[in-house]
Amino acid sequence: MNENGNEPAESGLARSDIHQPVLLEEVVSWLSPVSGGIYVDGNLGLGGHTRAILEASNPDGRVIGFDWDSEALSLARANLASYGERVIYVRRNFAELEEALKEIHYAMVDGILLDLGLSSLQLDSSGRGFSFQGSEPLDMRMDTRRGETAADLLNHCSEEELADILYYYGEERQARRIAEFIVEERRKEKFSTTRQLVSIIEKAVPRRFRPKKIHVATRTFQGLRIAVNGELDNLEKILTDGVQYIRPGGRFCVISFHSLEDRLVKRQFSSNNALRVLTPKPVIAGDAEKDMNPRSRSAKMRVAAVKEV
């Protein structure tokens, strides 16, 4: 649900070819990082946005990078090693901003960036079932230290609960039929792999009801991933709580990749009296970026500034 990455530089990057961050120039322009500023990258990924923020805030701007995926955090450390203490790495979800700032003894920051998309690392090589290509364990946890897996939900939730997850989080119109097929299948064999799930979805959804531009399993995988990781709850929490930790004049930038997230960001920004919305319409990628990076096609960035007192 992504889209944080990194780009080549002189300092021997790990996995530098894996991914390009979306809306990179737009992020730098709207976040407006300056020397001496402190910024939060709530989805560090492989460090692409953080690198750009650090370059724009030379010589001494800092970034607090959040990621609850340990593999991504390890690769980001390698990719950003040349920036030394200008990067502070936090293995937490961005919703835990308050706790993290207390731990590292920061009271306020000058801006927050959230890139809510999955990275290529997670989609292509995590081995945790984020992708419906191939066959992987149905885990889908961003942080493997906590919570139920996607397999747990598939094997234990009621048919009604599964239908609600797929309908409300995945926006899947065939949710009830898919849930019915899942429950029938698990009576014969418990779910453990992505291939099993894709096979059942393909059986459940008649060809005439399949989406034309995306894989038939896309929305089911989205719904399960959001449910497993509590993504909308986490987003709502930082949209509500994060504003109090941004200095007046500072920016709050959020890149979303599906309508559930975008609607939530739009609503929260508009209803918060402490914020001034800077993007009445979301910022989207230009044609050149869309051609170069297909994942940017669904990216929408909304930006708000904390009002000056």
Side-chain angles (χ1 to χ4, degrees), residues 256-288:
S256 62
F257 291 83
H258 58 75
S259 58
L260 287 173
E261 294 169 339
D262 183 56
R263 286 198 299 267
L264 179 56
V265 175
K266 181 181 180 180
R267 184 175 70 246
Q268 292 287 92
F269 276 2
S270 299
S271 63
N272 193 323
N273 293 329
L275 292 175
R276 177 167 55 91
V277 175
L278 303 181
T279 53
K281 293 184 178 180
V283 177
I284 61 174
D287 291 340

Side-chain angles (χ1 to χ4, degrees), residues 186-204:
R186 77 187 186 194
R187 293 192 181 105
K188 296 177 281 187
E189 182 180 8
K190 295 294 186 183
F191 282 90
S192 62
T193 70
T194 55
R195 182 165 292 164
Q196 283 176 282
L197 179 57
V198 170
S199 176
I200 291 302
I201 296 167
E202 290 175 338
K203 290 177 183 177

Side-chain angles (χ1 to χ4, degrees), residues 215-290:
H215 192 281
V216 67
T218 299
R219 293 191 176 105
T220 293
F221 272 65
Q222 173 185 302
L224 285 170
R225 192 199 76 232
I226 289 174
V228 165
N229 295 291
E231 292 178 24
L232 294 181
D233 290 339
N234 290 332
L235 177 58
E236 186 166 14
K237 180 171 173 52
I238 194 169
L239 290 172
T240 302
D241 298 347
V243 176
Q244 63 186 305
Y245 297 103
I246 303 176
R247 292 188 179 93
R251 304 285 177 85
F252 202 152
C253 305
V254 185
I255 304 172
S256 62
F257 291 83
H258 58 75
S259 58
L260 287 173
E261 294 169 339
D262 183 56
R263 286 198 299 267
L264 179 56
V265 175
K266 181 181 180 180
R267 184 175 70 246
Q268 292 287 92
F269 276 2
S270 299
S271 63
N272 193 323
N273 293 329
L275 292 175
R276 177 167 55 91
V277 175
L278 303 181
T279 53
K281 293 184 178 180
V283 177
I284 61 174
D287 291 340
E289 181 175 359
K290 289 178 182 178

Side-chain angles (χ1 to χ4, degrees), residues 2-108:
N2 232 223
E3 312 346 30
N4 192 4
N6 69 291
E7 49 187 8
E10 297 177 358
S11 58
L13 297 181
R15 305 293 289 277
S16 63
D17 60 335
I18 198 169
H19 192 60
Q20 290 292 324
V22 303
L23 299 173
L24 190 62
E25 293 181 5
E26 291 85 352
V27 164
V28 172
S29 176
W30 285 98
L31 190 63
S32 300
V34 296
S35 178
I38 302 165
Y39 304 92
V40 167
D41 185 343
N43 306 80
L44 181 59
L46 301 180
H49 284 124
T50 283
R51 177 182 300 280
I53 294 167
L54 291 167
E55 290 295 330
S57 63
N58 270 327
D60 57 359
R62 290 193 171 195
V63 173
I64 305 167
F66 284 71
D67 210 302
W68 55 358
D69 186 322
S70 61
E71 185 179 0
L73 208 58
S74 177
L75 290 170
R77 285 181 184 273
N79 291 345
L80 301 169
S82 62
Y83 294 95
E85 294 183 355
R86 292 181 63 197
V87 189
I88 301 164
Y89 302 92
V90 179
R91 190 183 177 191
R92 285 181 178 270
N93 180 265
F94 53 63
E96 300 170 300
L97 176 67
E98 180 179 2
E99 297 90 332
L101 291 179
K102 287 180 179 177
E103 286 177 0
I104 61 178
H105 307 295
Y106 280 81
M108 302 289 284

